[in-house]
Amino acid sequence: MTEATRRESGPAPAAGAPEEVSTEALREAEAYIEAEEGATNRLGGMAGSIVTAIAVAMSLFHLYAAYSIVPTQELRYIHVAFVLLLCFLLFPAAARFRDRIRLWDIVPGLLAVGIIGYALWGGEDFTDRATVPERMDVVLGLVFIVILLEATRRATGAIMPVVALLFIAYAMLGPHLPAPWTHRGYDVSRLVGHLFMTLEGIFGVAVDVSATLIILFTIYGAFLQQSGAGKFFIDFSLALMGGRPNSAGRTVVLSSFLLGGPSGSGVATTVMIGSVASPMLAKAGFTRDAAGGLLAAGGLGAILSPPVLGAAAFLIAEFLKISYLDVLRMATIPTCLYYLSLLIMVELDARRFGAHDVRFEQEMPLGRMVRRYGFHFVSLAAVVGFMLIGFSPMLSVFYATAVTFALSFLRAETALWPRKLVRALADGSIGSLNAAVTCASAGIVVGVVTLTGLGLKFSSIVITYAGGSLILTALYTALIVWIIGLAVPVTASYIICAVIAAPALTKLGVPDYAAHMFIFYYAVLSEVSPPTALSPFAAAAITGGNPYLTTLQSWKYTLPAFIVPFVFVLAPDGVGLLMQVPSDGSILSIVWITLQTALGLTALAAAAQNWALRRTTPVERGLLLLSGLLLVVPSIIEPLLEAVTGRNIQYLVAIGLVIGVVVMVKQAYAPAGSVPTARS
């Protein structure tokens, strides 16, 4: 329960609905956060102080690197050294060894630091001999790769290290593989030299992004959290949306957007909002599964929402060599469409089951709350503001962190005095470990792909299987990204698919930025897809719902995230959703494709909820589904209709619009009692 708002007595909750989330439910939900971010040791005493000091030193080093100039190689190497040392101190080898540091935790961490010290001491001579490494280089390189994979196993689970080992095996067994997978093959010496001694493997692009952007944004998010921004955003959403029949759902949508922007973590956002909003959703009349599905969908929006978007978004900017501000701009319309569709579904929910009025006794009026704590909005917008006036992303997040620190002193209860400041600095580094170690291990995959040319081979295979069809290639690519995303974290899924799957789309004429955004969105969908659907499972733990039924509900709510990416890959003017003017269009093209897609998503939301102005008949529901598909993805429907009818089909968008209007008019003017109601 938050301090600024308290639930008061209202309509009786559904049978068995909790008045507040139990400690056991929160503990179970937090286990899913640990499944995503790793189960860290809870250390006290001298051990806790040492780990905190190392984490604070890591944050201070990266803040210094953001403001000053640290050479690329040194920055990446020192970043990985910090990451591996903290991973071994914080993540136990097994659950039974938790909450205590042992010798086998200290030795590999220090050994990793020593090996990186050896590489830094070698300087340019070390990197120059990458193609013909010395025996000591090979031995230390092999040891380092083993240490890295063990750190990754501890932090993220066994799947990512196994994937990395499979790619290493592919690099070594090339001559023995069947066509078209065959290649010349590489021995251990050459492979270690490429992966460990160059900036194209472990210390490649992914680690560069981790060292320059991901950690700075996690520090920024930690400063926001320690200054009370997260609590304020939830309180603000509750106060703004309270007192209406659909306030419960609206609160989840708004608070997930405000919290998700700076956090970039789907599971953490789901749990944070769910701990407050779950009882409110139960009071409003949501079933446990529907409430969990909505919470998970809101959490998914955290990875889609500016200004953070999740770690993979930083990689898009680096792979495409574009500004991170360009990535934010490309994500703006899809994010707005996502939350618009989510809000529409919430509104339809309120009408479909007659949501109860959930009222709140506010300890503080909304106006006073904003006057006292509204500076958190400035902190949230600062990073984008600095980029708009021309600062680099690194400097922008550095200054945004400084602004957050300074503004925290406007109120005594939010001030980042030394104790809170140390916690924020430590949390910033610790929060980046999962993504950072994933980036380092994914560097093995990227290094093998660049060394063997696997990306070009794979794209040719996909295009061949698709018969050169862009639609089938997009469908195959989405399936590949989705399947890989079931096994590895979002960041790793994006990195792997960006180097092996994106070339297939770009070969068929899809702009590179559209291909990478397509892959990013489908990598994110692993958050709500079993068997690793961590967000819905965490939400189900809070609401007491069935995890798999909750996942199905989350799929319904996240419908736009599955469909919209096809628009900017398949439709000629679809890049307008990424705020890119089509080659033969204008600014009006962006406006039209956005409006067209929004109308289509509205129709699809009504079909999914089986409710428009009132409950739909089976025929109306089918027509709304058709209308939505014709408006959102006419490029998929058109060839199917032409294949069935044998005729050239045109004006599908207009047909879809007419169908939707006809259904709405029929519902609006149908005689009372001729259409089933919510309770019939």
Side-chain angles (χ1 to χ4, degrees), residues 68 116 131 215 238 250 278-279 315 431 511 546 568 596:
S68 186
I116 287 179
T131 54
I215 185 170
L238 289 170
R250 286 181 178 179
S278 177
L315 292 159
N546 180 290
F568 46 76
Q596 171 189 322

Coordinates of all heavy atoms in Angstrom, one line a residue, residues 68 116 131 215 238 250 278-279 315 431 511 546 568 596:
S68 N 34.7 11.9 -19.2 CA 36.0 12.0 -19.7 C 36.3 11.1 -20.9 O 35.3 10.6 -21.5 CB 37.0 11.7 -18.6 OG 38.3 12.0 -19.0
I116 N 42.6 -10.2 -17.7 CA 42.4 -8.9 -18.4 C 43.5 -8.0 -18.1 O 43.9 -7.2 -19.0 CB 41.0 -8.3 -17.9 CG1 39.9 -9.1 -18.5 CG2 40.9 -6.8 -18.3 CD1 38.5 -8.7 -18.2
T131 N 46.0 -13.1 -34.9 CA 45.9 -14.1 -35.9 C 46.9 -15.2 -35.7 O 46.7 -16.4 -36.1 CB 46.2 -13.5 -37.3 OG1 47.4 -12.8 -37.3 CG2 45.0 -12.6 -37.7
I215 N 25.0 0.3 -18.7 CA 25.3 0.5 -17.3 C 25.0 1.9 -16.9 O 24.5 2.2 -15.8 CB 26.8 0.2 -17.0 CG1 27.0 0.3 -15.5 CG2 27.7 1.1 -17.8 CD1 28.3 -0.2 -15.0
L238 N -2.5 6.3 -9.5 CA -3.6 6.0 -8.7 C -4.5 7.2 -8.4 O -5.8 7.2 -8.5 CB -3.2 5.4 -7.3 CG -2.6 4.0 -7.4 CD1 -1.9 3.7 -6.0 CD2 -3.6 3.0 -7.7
R250 N -7.0 1.4 -16.0 CA -6.3 2.6 -16.5 C -5.0 2.9 -15.6 O -4.0 3.3 -16.2 CB -7.2 3.9 -16.4 CG -8.3 3.9 -17.4 CD -9.1 5.2 -17.2 NE -10.1 5.3 -18.3 CZ -11.0 6.3 -18.3 NH1 -10.9 7.3 -17.4 NH2 -11.9 6.4 -19.2
S278 N -2.9 -5.3 -7.8 CA -3.6 -6.5 -7.9 C -4.9 -6.5 -7.0 O -6.0 -6.9 -7.5 CB -2.7 -7.7 -7.4 OG -3.4 -8.9 -7.4
P279 N -4.9 -6.1 -5.7 CA -6.1 -6.0 -5.0 C -7.1 -5.1 -5.6 O -8.3 -5.4 -5.6 CB -5.7 -5.5 -3.6 CG -4.2 -5.9 -3.5 CD -3.7 -5.7 -4.9
L315 N 21.8 -1.6 -28.5 CA 22.5 -2.4 -29.5 C 22.0 -2.1 -30.9 O 22.8 -2.1 -31.9 CB 22.3 -3.9 -29.3 CG 23.0 -4.4 -28.0 CD1 22.4 -5.7 -27.5 CD2 24.5 -4.6 -28.2
G431 N 22.6 -3.9 -11.1 CA 21.5 -4.1 -12.0 C 21.9 -4.3 -13.5 O 21.1 -4.8 -14.3
P511 N 14.3 -2.0 -45.3 CA 15.4 -1.1 -44.8 C 16.0 -1.7 -43.5 O 15.3 -2.4 -42.7 CB 14.6 0.2 -44.4 CG 13.4 0.2 -45.3 CD 13.0 -1.3 -45.5
N546 N -3.9 -18.9 -12.6 CA -3.2 -20.0 -13.2 C -2.1 -19.4 -14.1 O -2.4 -18.6 -15.0 CB -4.2 -20.8 -14.0 CG -3.5 -22.0 -14.7 OD1 -2.8 -21.8 -15.7 ND2 -3.8 -23.2 -14.3
F568 N 5.7 -2.4 -40.5 CA 6.9 -1.6 -41.0 C 7.9 -2.5 -41.7 O 8.9 -2.0 -42.2 CB 7.6 -0.8 -39.9 CG 7.8 -1.5 -38.6 CD1 8.8 -2.4 -38.5 CD2 7.1 -1.1 -37.5 CE1 9.1 -3.0 -37.2 CE2 7.3 -1.7 -36.3 CZ 8.3 -2.6 -36.1
Q596 N -4.4 4.7 -39.7 CA -4.9 3.4 -40.2 C -4.6 2.3 -39.3 O -5.5 1.4 -39.0 CB -4.2 3.2 -41.6 CG -4.5 1.8 -42.2 CD -3.6 1.6 -43.4 OE1 -3.4 2.5 -44.2 NE2 -3.2 0.4 -43.6

